[in-house]
Amino acid sequence: MVSYQLVIDCAAPERMARFWAGALRYTVEPPPGGFDTWRNYWRSVGVPEDELGEGDGSDSIVDPEGHGPRIWFQQVPEGKAVKNRFHLDVKVGGKREDVPLETRKARVDAEVERLVQAGASVVRVLSQPGVDHYAVAMVDPEGNEFDVV
């Protein structure tokens, strides 16, 4: 077993950290001890001012229960150009063997509405008659694909 963090390239790390903290029910990671903001921490380790972006410099989120990986939003100069090679599934519907399709669908739709209000956009609904599956493909505020399942 190894530990890892997920790194997501983006233009606006603080905005992405706040969106994904809400989407995944994570928390924005507090700055290291002795620093009141991430901006002040990054300055202390020599990050140039022009690389600090806007706001307080918050650019990472953590699972408050300590189970999921840390997610760091790394500012990059280039925009997203092509489809993601992998994506996150936000799993809210429940297990197929435990939860009826109509209940899973209602849970997914409620989460989709919440995420739309937070800045995501719906791409398409993934559903076929006779198939016991329901999901909604979405994009975050910077166009990164993810599914709500």
Side-chain angles (χ1 to χ4, degrees), residues 93-145:
K95 293 183 178 181
R96 183 174 289 123
E97 57 272 13
D98 297 334
V99 181
L101 179 60
E102 287 307 311
T103 303
R104 293 192 324 264
K105 182 178 177 181
R107 290 175 180 175
V108 167
D109 288 344
E111 186 70 0
V112 165
E113 181 57 32
R114 187 179 79 81
L115 294 172
V116 165
Q117 294 301 315
S121 300
V122 172
V123 174
R124 69 184 166 283
V125 174
L126 307 167
S127 178
Q128 295 178 353
V131 177
D132 188 20
H133 177 72
Y134 183 78
V136 176
M138 301 187 78
V139 292
D140 72 13
E142 291 199 11
N144 300 299
E145 298 91 1

Coordinates of all heavy atoms in Angstrom, one line a residue, residues 93-145:
G93 N -25.9 7.3 -5.2 CA -27.2 6.5 -5.4 C -27.3 5.3 -4.5 O -28.4 5.0 -4.1
G94 N -26.2 4.7 -4.2 CA -26.3 3.5 -3.4 C -26.0 2.3 -4.3 O -26.0 2.3 -5.5
K95 N -25.8 1.1 -3.6 CA -25.4 -0.1 -4.4 C -26.7 -0.7 -5.0 O -27.7 -0.8 -4.5 CB -24.8 -1.1 -3.4 CG -23.5 -0.7 -2.9 CD -22.9 -1.8 -2.0 CE -21.5 -1.4 -1.5 NZ -21.0 -2.4 -0.7
R96 N -26.5 -1.1 -6.2 CA -27.5 -1.7 -7.1 C -28.3 -2.8 -6.3 O -29.5 -2.9 -6.4 CB -26.9 -2.2 -8.4 CG -27.9 -2.8 -9.3 CD -27.2 -3.2 -10.7 NE -26.9 -2.0 -11.4 CZ -25.6 -1.7 -11.8 NH1 -24.6 -2.5 -11.6 NH2 -25.4 -0.6 -12.4
E97 N -27.5 -3.7 -5.6 CA -28.1 -4.8 -4.9 C -28.9 -4.4 -3.6 O -29.7 -5.2 -3.1 CB -27.1 -5.9 -4.5 CG -25.9 -5.4 -3.7 CD -24.8 -4.8 -4.5 OE1 -24.9 -4.6 -5.7 OE2 -23.7 -4.6 -3.9
D98 N -28.7 -3.1 -3.2 CA -29.4 -2.7 -1.9 C -30.5 -1.6 -2.2 O -31.3 -1.5 -1.3 CB -28.3 -2.1 -1.0 CG -27.3 -3.1 -0.5 OD1 -27.6 -4.3 -0.5 OD2 -26.2 -2.6 -0.2
V99 N -30.4 -0.9 -3.3 CA -31.2 0.3 -3.5 C -31.9 0.1 -4.8 O -31.3 0.0 -5.9 CB -30.4 1.6 -3.4 CG1 -31.3 2.8 -3.6 CG2 -29.6 1.7 -2.1
P100 N -33.3 0.2 -4.8 CA -34.0 0.2 -6.1 C -33.6 1.3 -7.1 O -33.2 2.4 -6.6 CB -35.5 0.3 -5.7 CG -35.5 0.1 -4.2 CD -34.2 0.4 -3.7
L101 N -33.7 1.0 -8.4 CA -33.3 2.0 -9.4 C -34.0 3.3 -9.2 O -33.4 4.4 -9.3 CB -33.6 1.4 -10.8 CG -33.3 2.4 -12.0 CD1 -31.8 2.7 -12.0 CD2 -33.7 1.7 -13.3
E102 N -35.3 3.4 -8.9 CA -36.0 4.7 -8.8 C -35.4 5.5 -7.6 O -35.3 6.7 -7.7 CB -37.5 4.5 -8.7 CG -38.2 4.0 -10.0 CD -37.8 5.0 -11.1 OE1 -38.0 6.2 -11.0 OE2 -37.4 4.5 -12.2
T103 N -35.1 4.8 -6.5 CA -34.5 5.5 -5.4 C -33.1 6.1 -5.8 O -32.7 7.2 -5.5 CB -34.4 4.6 -4.2 OG1 -35.7 4.1 -3.9 CG2 -33.8 5.3 -3.0
R104 N -32.3 5.2 -6.4 CA -30.9 5.7 -6.9 C -31.1 6.9 -7.8 O -30.3 7.8 -7.7 CB -30.2 4.5 -7.6 CG -29.8 3.4 -6.6 CD -28.9 2.4 -7.2 NE -29.0 2.1 -8.6 CZ -29.6 1.0 -9.1 NH1 -30.3 0.2 -8.3 NH2 -29.6 0.8 -10.4
K105 N -32.0 6.8 -8.7 CA -32.3 7.9 -9.7 C -32.6 9.2 -9.0 O -32.1 10.2 -9.3 CB -33.4 7.5 -10.7 CG -33.6 8.6 -11.7 CD -34.7 8.1 -12.7 CE -35.0 9.2 -13.7 NZ -36.0 8.9 -14.6
A106 N -33.5 9.1 -8.0 CA -33.9 10.3 -7.2 C -32.7 10.9 -6.5 O -32.5 12.1 -6.4 CB -35.0 10.0 -6.2
R107 N -31.8 10.0 -5.9 CA -30.7 10.5 -5.2 C -29.7 11.2 -6.1 O -29.1 12.2 -5.8 CB -30.0 9.3 -4.5 CG -30.7 8.8 -3.3 CD -30.0 7.6 -2.7 NE -30.7 7.0 -1.6 CZ -30.4 5.9 -1.0 NH1 -29.3 5.2 -1.4 NH2 -31.1 5.4 0.0
V108 N -29.5 10.5 -7.3 CA -28.5 11.1 -8.3 C -29.1 12.5 -8.8 O -28.3 13.4 -8.8 CB -28.3 10.1 -9.5 CG1 -27.7 10.8 -10.6 CG2 -27.5 8.9 -9.0
D109 N -30.4 12.5 -9.1 CA -30.9 13.8 -9.6 C -30.8 14.9 -8.5 O -30.6 16.1 -8.9 CB -32.4 13.6 -10.0 CG -32.5 12.8 -11.3 OD1 -31.5 12.6 -12.0 OD2 -33.6 12.3 -11.6
A110 N -31.0 14.6 -7.3 CA -30.9 15.6 -6.2 C -29.5 16.1 -6.1 O -29.2 17.3 -6.0 CB -31.4 15.0 -4.9
E111 N -28.5 15.2 -6.2 CA -27.1 15.6 -6.1 C -26.7 16.4 -7.4 O -26.0 17.4 -7.3 CB -26.2 14.3 -6.0 CG -24.7 14.7 -5.8 CD -24.4 15.2 -4.5 OE1 -25.3 15.4 -3.6 OE2 -23.2 15.6 -4.3
V112 N -27.2 16.0 -8.5 CA -26.9 16.8 -9.8 C -27.4 18.2 -9.6 O -26.7 19.2 -9.9 CB -27.6 16.1 -11.0 CG1 -27.6 17.0 -12.2 CG2 -26.8 14.8 -11.3
E113 N -28.6 18.4 -9.1 CA -29.2 19.7 -8.9 C -28.3 20.5 -7.9 O -28.0 21.7 -8.1 CB -30.6 19.7 -8.3 CG -31.2 21.0 -8.1 CD -31.3 21.9 -9.3 OE1 -31.4 21.4 -10.5 OE2 -31.2 23.1 -9.2
R114 N -27.9 19.9 -6.8 CA -27.0 20.6 -5.9 C -25.7 21.0 -6.5 O -25.2 22.1 -6.4 CB -26.7 19.6 -4.7 CG -25.9 20.3 -3.5 CD -25.7 19.3 -2.4 NE -24.6 18.4 -2.7 CZ -23.3 18.7 -2.5 NH1 -22.9 19.8 -2.1 NH2 -22.4 17.8 -2.8
L115 N -25.1 20.1 -7.4 CA -23.8 20.5 -8.0 C -24.0 21.5 -9.1 O -23.1 22.3 -9.4 CB -23.2 19.2 -8.6 CG -22.8 18.2 -7.5 CD1 -22.3 16.9 -8.1 CD2 -21.7 18.8 -6.6
V116 N -25.1 21.5 -9.8 CA -25.4 22.6 -10.8 C -25.4 23.9 -10.1 O -24.9 24.9 -10.5 CB -26.7 22.3 -11.5 CG1 -27.2 23.5 -12.3 CG2 -26.5 21.1 -12.5
Q117 N -26.1 24.0 -8.9 CA -26.1 25.2 -8.1 C -24.7 25.6 -7.7 O -24.5 26.8 -7.5 CB -27.0 25.0 -6.9 CG -28.5 24.8 -7.2 CD -29.1 26.0 -8.0 OE1 -28.9 27.1 -7.7 NE2 -29.8 25.6 -9.1
A118 N -23.8 24.7 -7.5 CA -22.4 25.0 -7.1 C -21.5 25.4 -8.3 O -20.4 25.7 -8.1 CB -21.9 23.8 -6.4
G119 N -22.0 25.2 -9.5 CA -21.2 25.6 -10.7 C -21.0 24.6 -11.7 O -20.3 24.9 -12.7
A120 N -21.4 23.4 -11.5 CA -21.2 22.3 -12.5 C -22.3 22.4 -13.6 O -23.3 23.1 -13.4 CB -21.3 20.9 -11.8
S121 N -22.1 21.7 -14.7 CA -23.0 21.6 -15.8 C -23.3 20.2 -16.2 O -22.4 19.4 -16.2 CB -22.5 22.4 -17.0 OG -22.2 23.7 -16.7
V122 N -24.5 19.9 -16.6 CA -24.9 18.6 -17.0 C -24.5 18.4 -18.5 O -24.7 19.3 -19.3 CB -26.4 18.4 -16.9 CG1 -26.8 17.1 -17.6 CG2 -26.8 18.4 -15.4
V123 N -23.9 17.3 -18.8 CA -23.5 16.9 -20.2 C -24.5 16.0 -20.8 O -25.0 16.3 -21.9 CB -22.1 16.3 -20.2 CG1 -21.7 15.8 -21.6 CG2 -21.0 17.2 -19.7
R124 N -24.9 15.0 -20.1 CA -25.9 14.0 -20.6 C -26.3 13.1 -19.4 O -25.6 12.8 -18.5 CB -25.4 13.2 -21.8 CG -24.3 12.2 -21.5 CD -23.8 11.6 -22.8 NE -22.6 10.8 -22.5 CZ -21.4 11.4 -22.4 NH1 -21.2 12.7 -22.4 NH2 -20.3 10.6 -22.1
V125 N -27.5 12.5 -19.6 CA -28.0 11.5 -18.7 C -27.6 10.1 -19.3 O -27.8 9.9 -20.5 CB -29.5 11.6 -18.5 CG1 -30.1 10.5 -17.7 CG2 -29.9 13.0 -17.9
L126 N -27.1 9.3 -18.4 CA -26.7 7.9 -18.9 C -27.7 6.9 -18.3 O -27.6 6.5 -17.2 CB -25.3 7.6 -18.3 CG -24.2 8.7 -18.6 CD1 -23.0 8.5 -17.8 CD2 -23.9 8.7 -20.1
S127 N -28.7 6.6 -19.2 CA -29.7 5.7 -18.8 C -30.3 5.1 -20.1 O -30.4 5.7 -21.1 CB -30.8 6.5 -18.1 OG -31.9 5.7 -17.7
Q128 N -30.7 3.8 -19.9 CA -31.3 3.1 -21.1 C -32.4 2.3 -20.5 O -32.3 1.6 -19.4 CB -30.3 2.2 -21.8 CG -29.2 2.8 -22.4 CD -28.2 1.8 -23.1 OE1 -28.3 0.6 -22.9 NE2 -27.3 2.3 -23.8
P129 N -33.6 2.2 -21.2 CA -34.7 1.4 -20.7 C -34.2 -0.1 -20.6 O -33.5 -0.6 -21.4 CB -35.7 1.5 -21.9 CG -35.4 2.8 -22.6 CD -33.9 2.9 -22.4
G130 N -34.6 -0.7 -19.5 CA -34.3 -2.1 -19.3 C -33.0 -2.4 -18.7 O -32.6 -3.5 -18.4
V131 N -32.1 -1.3 -18.5 CA -30.8 -1.5 -17.9 C -30.9 -0.9 -16.5 O -31.3 0.3 -16.3 CB -29.7 -0.8 -18.7 CG1 -28.4 -0.9 -18.1 CG2 -29.7 -1.4 -20.1
D132 N -30.4 -1.7 -15.5 CA -30.5 -1.2 -14.1 C -29.3 -0.3 -13.8 O -28.4 -0.7 -13.0 CB -30.5 -2.5 -13.2 CG -30.7 -2.1 -11.7 OD1 -31.2 -1.0 -11.5 OD2 -30.4 -2.9 -10.9
H133 N -29.2 0.8 -14.4 CA -28.1 1.8 -14.2 C -28.6 3.2 -14.5 O -29.4 3.4 -15.4 CB -26.9 1.5 -15.2 CG -25.8 2.4 -15.0 ND1 -25.0 2.5 -14.0 CD2 -25.4 3.4 -15.9 CE1 -24.1 3.5 -14.1 NE2 -24.3 4.1 -15.3
Y134 N -28.2 4.1 -13.7 CA -28.5 5.5 -13.9 C -27.4 6.4 -13.5 O -26.9 6.2 -12.3 CB -29.8 5.9 -13.2 CG -30.3 7.3 -13.4 CD1 -30.9 7.7 -14.6 CD2 -30.0 8.3 -12.5 CE1 -31.4 9.0 -14.8 CE2 -30.4 9.6 -12.7 CZ -31.1 9.9 -13.9 OH -31.5 11.2 -14.1
A135 N -27.0 7.3 -14.3 CA -25.9 8.2 -13.9 C -26.1 9.5 -14.8 O -26.8 9.5 -15.8 CB -24.5 7.6 -14.2
V136 N -25.4 10.5 -14.3 CA -25.4 11.8 -15.1 C -24.0 12.2 -15.3 O -23.2 12.4 -14.3 CB -26.3 12.9 -14.3 CG1 -26.2 14.2 -15.1 CG2 -27.7 12.4 -14.2
A137 N -23.6 12.4 -16.5 CA -22.3 13.0 -16.9 C -22.3 14.5 -16.7 O -23.3 15.1 -17.1 CB -21.9 12.6 -18.3
M138 N -21.3 15.0 -16.0 CA -21.3 16.5 -15.8 C -19.8 17.0 -16.0 O -18.9 16.2 -16.2 CB -21.6 16.7 -14.3 CG -23.0 16.2 -13.9 SD -23.5 16.7 -12.2 CE -24.0 18.5 -12.6
V139 N -19.7 18.3 -16.0 CA -18.4 18.9 -16.0 C -18.3 19.9 -14.8 O -19.3 20.6 -14.5 CB -18.1 19.6 -17.3 CG1 -17.9 18.6 -18.5 CG2 -19.1 20.7 -17.7
D140 N -17.1 20.1 -14.3 CA -16.9 21.0 -13.2 C -16.8 22.4 -13.8 O -16.9 22.6 -15.0 CB -15.8 20.6 -12.3 CG -14.4 20.7 -12.9 OD1 -14.3 21.4 -14.0 OD2 -13.4 20.2 -12.3
P141 N -16.6 23.4 -12.9 CA -16.5 24.8 -13.5 C -15.4 25.0 -14.5 O -15.4 26.0 -15.3 CB -16.2 25.7 -12.2 CG -16.9 24.9 -11.1 CD -16.6 23.5 -11.5
E142 N -14.4 24.2 -14.6 CA -13.3 24.3 -15.6 C -13.4 23.3 -16.7 O -12.5 23.2 -17.5 CB -12.0 24.3 -14.9 CG -11.7 25.5 -14.1 CD -10.3 25.8 -13.8 OE1 -9.4 25.1 -14.4 OE2 -10.0 26.6 -13.0
G143 N -14.5 22.5 -16.8 CA -14.8 21.6 -17.9 C -14.2 20.2 -17.7 O -14.3 19.4 -18.7
N144 N -13.8 19.9 -16.5 CA -13.4 18.5 -16.2 C -14.6 17.6 -16.1 O -15.5 17.9 -15.3 CB -12.5 18.4 -15.0 CG -11.3 19.3 -15.1 OD1 -10.4 19.1 -16.0 ND2 -11.1 20.3 -14.3
E145 N -14.6 16.4 -16.8 CA -15.7 15.5 -16.7 C -15.7 14.7 -15.4 O -14.7 14.4 -14.9 CB -15.6 14.5 -17.9 CG -15.7 15.2 -19.3 CD -14.3 15.5 -19.8 OE1 -13.3 15.3 -19.2 OE2 -14.3 16.1 -20.9

